[in-house]
Amino acid sequence: MAAPTDWVPVLNTTGEVIPAGGLMKVTGVDPGTGALSVAKPDTNDDASVCVNGFALIPANGTGQGSFDRRAIVAYDPVDGTPAAGDSWGAKAGTWLAKKSQHGFRVLGGAGLGLVNAVRAGVRGFEAVLTSFYDAKQGYSWKREKLDTTVPGYVDAVPGLSGKQAFSYVGETDLLPGTLGWMEPSPDGPGWIFIHCCGNLSSSSSSSGSSSSSSSSNPSGSSSSSSSSSSSQSISQSHSQSISQSQSGGQCCVQVLVDVAITFDPSTCNFTLTKTTKTLCATIQNGQICLTLT
């Protein structure tokens, strides 16, 4: 059984009637109703167009559209009859799909100016989940965009939101606010959500000092970590040699004494901090003296 079409309310902002199956460019969101403001496409090959439903939308009137992958699309008969496998799509200045444009691949059944088609070449986009998981509807979501002036992700304008998003790896415990990548399902209505797990960045630092005098080889470690409601730290001690030198009867080696990994769940970011110290050995009065600084 095919999944129901995910209809969204639209507002025709033009003085023209939008035909059934017409291709519509989203230009914004009506503040009074929340409906998507739509107009005639003004670019060619726009794969992000919304497709009108089965009824005409009067000038400056309201209707419903869909971003589903499969759609019944209005075509321009001037270009002939669409055949299965043909590429048709949006063209600036018309509500009708045009031949040799890109955006839809014809499935067949052309007649009365309408044809069964499937979106082709639709690119994914950044999105954030806006609900907990529902067994029937999956996750609700809204589109985000990268704002390099912040920097960070902000709500996309014009806004785009929906439901029926399901995790690529089957996650059902994702929280509202989870950021990721959204792709249209290749098998019908619905969306595939790819959850992002953050970046791993590292920085090296040399801090603290300690010294000891002994006839055996001691090991020193120094770690620092901080935690709050939004971060956790994990520290591990190491004695891995990374460099060594010899000068004036003194032998020194650089040792990695501590690694701290901090995770910030609010940004899904990992930070790796390494601490190194210098271990030197000298002979004084017949004794081996070790100094860790």
Side-chain angles (χ1 to χ4, degrees), residues 218-238:
S219 63
S221 66
S222 173
S223 66
S224 62
S225 63
S226 61
S227 62
S228 64
S229 60
S230 63
S231 65
Q232 301 177 7
S233 295
I234 304 173
S235 297
Q236 293 180 312
S237 294
H238 298 264

Side-chain angles (χ1 to χ4, degrees), residues 29-102:
V29 178
D30 179 63
T33 64
L36 297 181
S37 300
V38 296
K40 189 178 294 183
D42 58 2
T43 57
N44 298 338
D45 305 319
D46 184 358
S48 66
V49 290
C50 184
V51 179
N52 185 23
F54 304 112
L56 302 176
I57 302 179
N60 302 307
T62 59
Q64 57 184 7
S66 171
F67 293 95
D68 285 354
R69 188 166 187 262
R70 291 184 293 188
I72 296 179
V73 175
Y75 66 89
D76 190 345
V78 172
D79 293 337
T81 301
D86 284 353
S87 178
W88 289 63
K91 188 171 183 178
T94 178
W95 303 106
L96 307 178
K98 300 287 288 183
K99 188 175 183 179
S100 300
Q101 302 300 133
H102 300 287

Side-chain angles (χ1 to χ4, degrees), residues 204-210 217-222 236-245 251-259 273-281 290-293:
S204 298
S205 65
S206 179
S207 62
S209 63
S210 63
N217 187 8
S219 63
S221 66
S222 173
Q236 293 180 312
S237 294
H238 298 264
S239 59
Q240 178 185 355
S241 172
I242 57 175
S243 65
Q244 58 184 350
S245 63
C251 296
C252 296
V253 63
Q254 285 285 320
V255 292
L256 178 64
V257 295
D258 184 75
V259 175
T273 303
K274 302 182 228 180
T275 302
T276 61
K277 292 189 177 183
T278 302
L279 178 64
C280 294
L290 300 177
T291 304
L292 184 65
T293 58

